[in-house]
């Protein structure tokens, strides 16, 4: 079987869950089952719930994980719903690798890449909102918000203006060529951050991540390890803030002279004081891993 995806922070992820001796691990973003297959092979005590919203990824993973089929449950859906779906199971681990999969980046017809002849960027191809709708129908002020808040584009007003004044666009390639011509060239392609902004908007990636955390907070799985791999600062900030919130014992408002909340509200502890990042060797083998960060929390 040709494996078209290299999972990031692979060894570090297996190490995170190695001591689980029973129950289920939810892989929220199974993709091509890179992490899933490693977890099943390295720990015969665990069962896996493999979740993804992409039909092609799920079909591939079902074939790849055939040797472990007695220990695998597949679920199609956005990962914001997966905790609620399996809240009554013995969940001992939750993994979410929230980057865009190589399948989506490399398949030009999915419309994520600079050379794509389509303009799509949907992770779930059944949803209505796509990149073409964002690019061709959003007002200039809406596009400014997308590029500023989702793309962290410094010159967000200029990019939004270029889009509005040159649309309609029918492919990602048209946009990337325009930005390459009109925007200053730096270390990265000038379309990189604008594309990030459009993709996050199309898939509501930050909202979905926050809702995953809200559902985890509500579920309060006992003795459960949560490991999140993020790829840019917007995601990482959400992960860090939730983990910090969950580890706080005192939740009294700032400035209160004496604790009045009982000082017993910590849901668990942060395992990673600093995020785990890929080694130089991994980045050399898989350049797409370079921005990945793994943070780990353990519920009591």
């Amino acid at each position: 079987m040709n494996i078209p995806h290299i999972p990031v922070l692979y060894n570090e992820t297996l190490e995170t869950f190695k001591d689980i001796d029973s129950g289920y691990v939810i892989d929220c973003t199974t993709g091509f089952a890179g992490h899933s297959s490693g977890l099943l092979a390295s720990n015969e005590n665990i069962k896996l719930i493999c979740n993804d919203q992409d039909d092609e990824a799920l079909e591939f993973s079902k074939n790849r994980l055939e040797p472990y089929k007695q220990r695998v449950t597949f679920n199609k859906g956005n990962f914001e719903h997966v905790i609620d779906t399996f809240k009554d199971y013995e969940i001992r681990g939750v993994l979410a690798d929230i980057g865009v999969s190589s399948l989506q980046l490399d398949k030009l017809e999915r419309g994520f890449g600079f050379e794509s002849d389509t303009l799509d960027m949907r992770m779930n191809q059944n949803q209505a909102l796509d990149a073409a709708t964002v690019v061709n129908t959003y007002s200039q002020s809406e596009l400014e918000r997308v590029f500023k808040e989702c793309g962290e584009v410094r010159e967000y007003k200029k990019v939004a203006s270029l889009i509005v004044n040159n649309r309609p666009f029918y492919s990602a390639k048209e946009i990337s060529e325009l930005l390459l011509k009109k925007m200053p060239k730096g270390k990265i392609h000038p379309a990189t951050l604008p594309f990030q902004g459009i993709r996050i908007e199309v898939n509501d990636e930050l909202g979905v991540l926050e809702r995953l955390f809200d559902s985890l907070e509500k579920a309060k799985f006992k003795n459960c390890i949560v490991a999140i791999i993020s790829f840019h600062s917007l995601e990482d900030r959400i992960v860090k803030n939730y983990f910090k919130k969950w580890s706080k014992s005192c939740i009294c408002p700032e400035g209160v002279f004496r604790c009045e909340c009982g000082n017993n509200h910590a849901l668990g502890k942060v395992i990673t004081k600093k995020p785990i990042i890929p080694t130089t060797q991994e980045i050399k083998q898989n350049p797409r891993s370079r921005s990945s960060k793994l943070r780990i929390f353990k519920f009591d």
Side-chain angles (χ1 to χ4, degrees), residues 17-252:
F17 297 102
K18 70 179 174 61
D19 294 326
I20 293 177
D21 54 10
S22 66
Y24 288 84
V25 172
I26 300 177
D27 187 344
C28 296
T29 49
T30 296
F32 284 115
H35 290 118
S36 292
S37 59
L39 289 168
L40 289 161
S42 64
N43 188 341
E44 61 183 22
N45 295 314
I46 63 173
K47 296 175 183 177
L48 232 64
I49 293 164
C50 291
N51 180 80
D52 210 286
Q53 62 181 337
D54 191 298
D55 288 314
E56 190 173 351
L58 276 179
E59 195 57 40
F60 185 96
S61 295
K62 284 176 183 175
N63 291 326
R64 184 175 184 181
L65 300 179
E66 177 70 19
Y68 310 103
K69 62 182 179 183
Q70 304 301 327
R71 294 196 279 141
V72 183
T73 301
F74 289 96
N75 185 69
K76 186 191 174 186
N78 194 302
F79 65 73
E80 69 176 292
H81 304 300
V82 70
I83 302 303
D84 290 337
T85 303
F86 295 96
K87 64 180 185 295
D88 296 326
Y89 284 57
E90 184 196 353
I91 306 300
R92 296 287 307 283
V94 176
L95 168 66
D97 173 355
I98 49 182
V100 184
S101 78
S102 292
L103 159 77
Q104 293 158 341
L105 288 172
D106 293 340
K107 283 205 151 190
L108 292 180
E109 63 266 31
R110 297 297 296 270
F112 287 91
F114 300 146
E115 297 300 315
S116 292
D117 289 325
T118 59
L119 190 51
D120 193 329
M121 299 194 193
R122 291 174 297 173
M123 293 180 183
N124 175 5
Q125 291 185 293
N126 295 319
Q127 75 175 39
L129 183 65
D130 62 8
T133 305
V134 172
V135 168
N136 292 322
T137 70
Y138 275 27
S139 68
Q140 182 158 331
S141 62
E142 286 176 312
L143 285 171
E144 287 177 7
R145 172 189 61 78
V146 168
F147 295 133
K148 182 182 181 183
E149 296 178 10
C150 301
E152 300 179 292
V153 179
R154 187 172 295 173
E155 294 188 67
Y156 62 91
K157 289 190 175 183
K158 183 177 179 181
V159 173
S161 176
L162 282 170
I163 296 290
V164 169
N165 291 325
N166 289 277
R167 61 192 189 188
F169 293 93
Y170 300 99
S171 71
K173 189 175 183 178
E174 288 177 292
I175 299 173
S176 65
E177 286 177 349
L178 174 70
L179 296 179
L180 198 58
K181 194 184 299 178
K182 299 290 188 179
M183 297 300 293
K185 296 169 184 62
K187 290 182 180 178
I188 60 174
H189 193 294
T192 301
L193 294 178
F195 272 38
Q196 172 187 301
I198 296 166
R199 194 198 76 226
I200 288 174
E201 175 72 12
V202 167
N203 299 290
D204 189 23
E205 292 175 37
L206 303 180
V208 165
L209 182 58
E210 288 178 338
R211 291 190 288 277
L212 171 69
F213 277 111
D214 288 339
S215 65
L216 278 166
E217 187 175 322
K218 186 179 171 186
K220 293 188 178 75
F221 294 127
K222 297 291 184 187
N223 195 23
C224 176
I225 295 167
V226 178
I228 311 289
I229 299 172
S230 63
F231 285 82
H232 54 74
S233 60
L234 296 170
E235 294 170 338
D236 185 54
R237 192 176 305 134
I238 291 171
V239 178
K240 185 167 60 175
N241 288 343
Y242 268 93
F243 283 4
K244 183 180 177 182
K245 173 188 170 188
W246 290 349
S247 64
K248 284 182 76 171
S249 186
C250 174
I251 57 171
C252 289

